[in-house]
Amino acid sequence: MLDFFRNHKRLMMFMLILVIVPGLGFVGIQGFRGFFDESANVASVNGHKITRAEFDDATRQQLDRARQMLGAQFDMKSFDTPERRRQMLDGLIEQRVLADETQRLHLTASDDAVRRVLLNDPVISSLKNPDGSIDVDRYKQLLAMQGMTPDQYDERVRYTLATQQLPASIQGSAFTSKTLAQHLTELADQQREVQGIAFHPRDYLAKVQPTDAQVQAYYDAHRSEFATPATATIQYLVMSPSTMAASVQPSDADLKKYYDDNIAHYRVEGQVRASHILIAAPKDASAADKAKAKQKAEDLLAQIKAHPDQFAQIAQQNSQDPGSASKGGDLGYFGRGMIAGGQSFDDAVFALKKDEVSGIVQTDFGYHIVKVTDVKPTVTKPFDDVKNQIATDVKAQQAAKALSDDAEGFTSIVYEKAKSLQPAADKYKLQIQTATVTPQADPKLPATSPLNNAKFLAAVFANDSVNSRNNTQAIDVGGNTLIAAHVTDYKAAAVPALDAIKDAVRQKVVAVQANDAAHKDGLAKLADFDKSKATTGFSSPLKVSRSDAQGVPPLALSAIYKADAQKLPAYVGVDLGADGYAIYRVNSVVAGTPVNGQRLAAAQQQIAQVDAQSEAEAYVQAVRARSKVKFYGSLDGSPNANPASDNN
């Protein structure tokens, strides 16, 4: 089909003009494109699109976190499943639903709240200079790597805080009674004395001797288990900010202009080092208490004026600020807005010169006496000192612009010069790379690798790529990255002949038959125990609880606690799948010890948190139910049936 388009371009262009141009008068160019092309989106909420790139980025981040947490135990197949992808989409939809509800209710977050979050962020805290100030250049560089400016990041934090207000208010109102908490905790502590007997498949391996006919039958019924996956050897090009940066070299004039245009970014605002004495008098204190606190502060100020060299000792003995009193009131270096005292505190402190002492300064915390011990004036870093950093920033900006300017041309040349990637590589100075891929993602590669992108792999193994050996489209894999490939060799999936893998098939049959034998014996023994109530053959008694399974498998523990406590002893059989079969004799129930004190309070809090989470989820689901949610195609990038019905 694509060959016909390529070989009859003029005819197809004429036909497209006849079809498209009249329609533009009704819907406009952008509307017409959006009418037909929903492949770039996975869903919409109240008209707000959730793009495939957004979905893919969120999925990659989740996989990357799982890979970091599990290390060598990470299994891509168990994480990148249709169920998990649907859960990810549900999460994005709920975020959008919550954001719309937040906007409808006109909720927002204050500048002070945003500032507190930023200052408490451990990543941002790691950027502090020895004097306590934030290294602005490194902060901007860190955000630039994420494609953001400081203002954009501030708004993202504000947005996050605003959307958290609704679920936080629900969770903050959760309550659990002591009676319920005590009852549930005692149930969790309840023990059951059990004895077990296991039927392991490994104990039956020597007894199993499958016939050739059984091996043949298993092979015929499970051919797909022994298939080798299809493989494609590819050449590929990646166009991204990092690959474009190789061909970008900003001039000194570019760097100087950037410096002049952004001079404020290279200005280090003045800081002071100060010590203070706090006499606490919170906002809700009585007038009498405030007057008493103020009088004490005035008395201390008189002492300091009489003995200015004893400020540290007086602070150590009298200040009610636990964080600084032991250090003689020292607050270290700080700039405006970095101390929680507010505007009045800043105005008083930054009006002082070195070694000067303030009068009484009132804030929401009480009454302060402040002494400035050092002053660092505002300075602007010289161009030569920041030239290298500017070069990095400008290069990144120019590379991003080059990517934006060239993306459409790259997409076109990859399609038009379909038999080779060399023209695109030459024009955009990109390096042709090679790899061998399968239709499934490679767990050995980073989760963010474009070679693991599902849409890209689908394009590589499409008929047009494999059979006609045409370039794939330029695939947007998120993160401002395009990738295109050309298949140079292809090997279809194949099932080896039985003679070639007979030993492997026989091992499978032996394992299946051994497991069947274990299950058969286990079921027969369970029937005998139910009749005889025998105790022989079991392990030593073991006390298990829901919180301490003593090594008993979760499936078995669940079965043990389903046994009727009024009809003991009881026997329960548990199918452990590939691990065989187990029988447990439940002898008795041991009640949990009464719960009180701190443990009961902790249980109340934990149960309340669970209940609050459930209430918050129910609220979000209720808001979602009255929202207009629409799905586009499937979650693997193909335009198949919707993953769920539209909710209108």
Side-chain angles (χ1 to χ4, degrees):
M1 184 66 179
L2 291 177
D3 283 336
F4 178 84
F5 277 85
R6 291 190 179 97
N7 297 330
H8 301 83
K9 290 179 184 176
R10 295 179 65 84
L11 173 61
M12 295 311 301
M13 184 62 70
F14 178 73
M15 293 176 65
L16 287 171
I17 289 173
L18 289 178
V19 174
I20 294 174
V21 172
L24 297 182
F26 295 98
V27 298
I29 293 175
Q30 293 298 327
F32 190 84
R33 179 187 300 167
F35 182 79
F36 282 101
D37 182 19
E38 291 293 358
S39 62
N41 306 309
V42 291
S44 67
V45 179
N46 298 327
H48 300 286
K49 302 293 176 61
I50 298 175
T51 67
R52 186 165 298 280
E54 181 182 356
F55 172 78
D56 288 343
D57 283 343
T59 301
R60 278 194 295 271
Q61 291 175 19
Q62 184 186 60
L63 290 174
D64 199 33
R65 286 193 295 269
R67 190 190 300 273
Q68 291 176 356
M69 290 174 60
L70 299 177
Q73 296 179 344
F74 175 78
D75 181 8
M76 173 70 80
K77 292 181 180 179
S78 64
F79 277 89
D80 193 12
T81 64
E83 292 78 12
R84 286 186 181 272
R85 294 176 75 83
R86 180 53 200 267
Q87 289 171 5
M88 174 60 71
L89 179 57
D90 282 341
L92 294 175
I93 289 171
E94 289 169 7
Q95 288 177 18
R96 183 68 259 177
V97 163
L98 199 57
D100 286 355
E101 187 72 358
T102 300
Q103 186 175 12
R104 186 181 72 82
L105 296 174
H106 306 292
L107 301 178
T108 187
S110 67
D111 291 342
D112 284 341
V114 173
R115 186 182 299 111
R116 285 195 298 271
V117 170
L118 294 177
L119 292 177
N120 290 329
D121 189 318
V123 176
I124 296 177
S125 297
S126 70
L127 303 179
K128 284 186 178 180
N129 294 314
D131 61 6
S133 64
I134 300 295
D135 189 327
V136 178
D137 291 338
R138 290 174 61 202
Y139 178 55
K140 289 195 305 179
Q141 182 182 8
L142 179 66
L143 293 180
M145 293 170 63
Q146 306 298 321
M148 288 184 291
T149 65
D151 288 342
Q152 289 172 331
Y153 186 60
D154 286 355
E155 288 309 306
R156 174 176 288 190
V157 172
R158 191 186 310 279
Y159 167 82
T160 301
L161 290 174
T163 56
Q164 288 174 347
Q165 292 181 45
L166 286 171
S169 64
I170 296 172
Q171 293 176 4
S173 62
F175 174 78
T176 298
S177 68
K178 287 185 178 180
T179 302
L180 177 61
Q182 185 165 12
H183 179 64
L184 292 177
T185 306
E186 289 175 357
L187 280 178
D189 288 348
Q190 182 194 84
Q191 294 180 315
R192 296 202 168 190
E193 184 186 271
V194 298
Q195 295 172 273
I197 181 171
F199 299 84
H200 297 295
R202 63 174 179 266
D203 297 331
Y204 295 81
L205 293 175
K207 305 174 185 177
V208 173
Q209 297 295 329
T211 65
D212 288 345
Q214 290 173 325
V215 172
Q216 180 71 55
Y218 187 89
Y219 171 79
D220 291 339
H222 302 84
R223 293 173 65 89
S224 60
E225 292 184 14
F226 305 102
T228 57
T231 60
T233 301
I234 61 171
Q235 295 178 332
Y236 67 97
L237 294 176
V238 176
M239 177 178 272
S240 66
S242 60
T243 60
M244 298 300 288
S247 59
V248 171
Q249 190 57 53
S251 65
D252 286 348
D254 292 334
L255 304 184
K256 187 62 168 66
K257 183 178 185 305
Y258 184 90
Y259 175 79
D260 293 337
D261 291 345
N262 299 274
I263 191 69
H265 294 165
Y266 305 106
R267 183 179 298 118
V268 179
E269 297 298 332
Q271 289 192 324
V272 300
R273 183 171 186 173
S275 299
H276 84 138
I277 297 171
L278 169 66
I279 304 303
K283 288 192 298 183
D284 56 356
S286 65
D289 287 343
K290 288 183 178 180
K292 183 178 179 181
K294 185 176 181 181
Q295 182 60 53
K296 182 174 181 180
E298 289 174 346
D299 293 344
L300 292 175
L301 180 60
Q303 293 183 39
I304 291 168
K305 287 182 177 179
H307 306 283
D309 58 329
Q310 296 181 10
F311 187 98
Q313 294 93 317
I314 295 173
Q316 201 168 25
Q317 295 169 6
N318 297 277
S319 179
Q320 295 171 355
D321 176 10
S324 66
S326 61
K327 297 180 288 187
D330 184 27
L331 296 171
Y333 286 96
F334 57 90
R336 285 186 175 272
M338 294 176 63
I339 297 295
Q343 185 70 34
S344 59
F345 188 87
D346 281 353
D347 289 345
V349 171
F350 284 91
L352 298 174
K353 297 178 182 178
K354 183 179 179 180
D355 295 330
E356 283 189 339
V357 176
S358 71
I360 303 299
V361 181
Q362 184 177 4
T363 72
D364 290 343
F365 300 99
Y367 299 95
H368 306 255
I369 304 169
V370 187
K371 178 180 180 180
V372 171
T373 56
D374 195 15
V375 176
K376 290 185 177 181
T378 298
V379 296
T380 301
K381 296 179 181 179
F383 172 71
D384 289 340
D385 289 357
V386 294
K387 183 177 179 180
N388 290 338
Q389 179 58 50
I390 291 175
T392 300
D393 294 342
V394 173
K395 194 170 185 177
Q397 287 186 1
Q398 292 183 353
K401 185 177 185 303
L403 175 63
S404 177
D405 293 343
D406 294 341
E408 186 173 352
F410 176 75
T411 300
S412 297
I413 195 172
V414 164
Y415 174 76
E416 292 169 357
K417 305 292 185 181
K419 296 301 181 182
S420 174
L421 293 175
Q422 195 63 52
D426 293 341
K427 182 172 183 178
Y428 297 106
K429 298 181 175 59
L430 299 174
Q431 180 183 358
I432 294 180
Q433 303 177 68
T434 60
T436 299
V437 296
T438 68
Q440 301 300 320
D442 184 352
K444 296 178 183 177
L445 293 176
T448 55
S449 171
L451 296 179
N452 271 351
N453 181 268
K455 192 174 180 181
F456 170 70
L457 292 174
V460 168
F461 287 92
N463 288 335
D464 191 53
S465 305
V466 169
N467 296 330
S468 302
R469 297 296 170 92
N470 291 318
N471 297 337
T472 68
Q473 301 175 33
I475 306 296
D476 184 348
V477 296
N480 295 324
T481 299
L482 296 174
I483 181 172
H486 185 87
V487 176
T488 58
D489 188 35
Y490 171 74
K491 291 183 175 60
V495 178
L498 176 58
D499 289 343
I501 56 171
K502 194 168 185 178
D503 288 343
V505 178
R506 184 179 294 278
Q507 289 178 7
K508 286 275 190 178
V509 176
V510 168
V512 169
Q513 291 186 355
N515 199 20
D516 289 345
H519 280 72
K520 183 179 179 181
D521 280 2
L523 289 169
K525 199 68 174 176
L526 177 63
D528 289 342
F529 285 142
D530 283 336
K531 293 177 181 178
S532 66
K533 305 299 180 184
T535 60
T536 57
F538 286 96
S539 64
S540 300
L542 187 68
K543 289 182 180 179
V544 300
S545 69
R546 291 180 175 89
S547 58
D548 185 5
Q550 295 285 330
V552 172
L555 283 174
L557 190 67
S558 177
I560 289 168
Y561 272 90
K562 288 178 181 178
D564 190 343
Q566 305 302 317
K567 298 179 180 180
L568 299 182
Y571 297 86
V572 295
V574 186
D575 184 344
L576 299 177
D579 292 328
Y581 196 86
I583 300 173
Y584 289 89
R585 186 179 194 271
V586 184
N587 297 327
S588 61
V589 173
V590 182
T593 56
V595 181
N596 49 38
Q598 292 183 346
R599 187 160 176 243
L600 178 58
Q604 272 186 280
Q605 184 178 8
Q606 291 174 357
I607 297 169
Q609 287 175 348
V610 173
D611 184 53
Q613 183 65 31
S614 177
E615 292 290 339
E617 290 175 359
Y619 173 79
V620 173
Q621 290 303 316
V623 177
R624 175 173 175 169
R626 66 172 185 263
S627 301
K628 293 183 178 180
V629 179
K630 185 176 182 180
F631 297 91
Y632 304 104
S634 66
L635 299 184
D636 61 1
S638 59
N640 297 327
N642 290 341
S645 301
D646 293 355
N647 180 21
N648 296 315

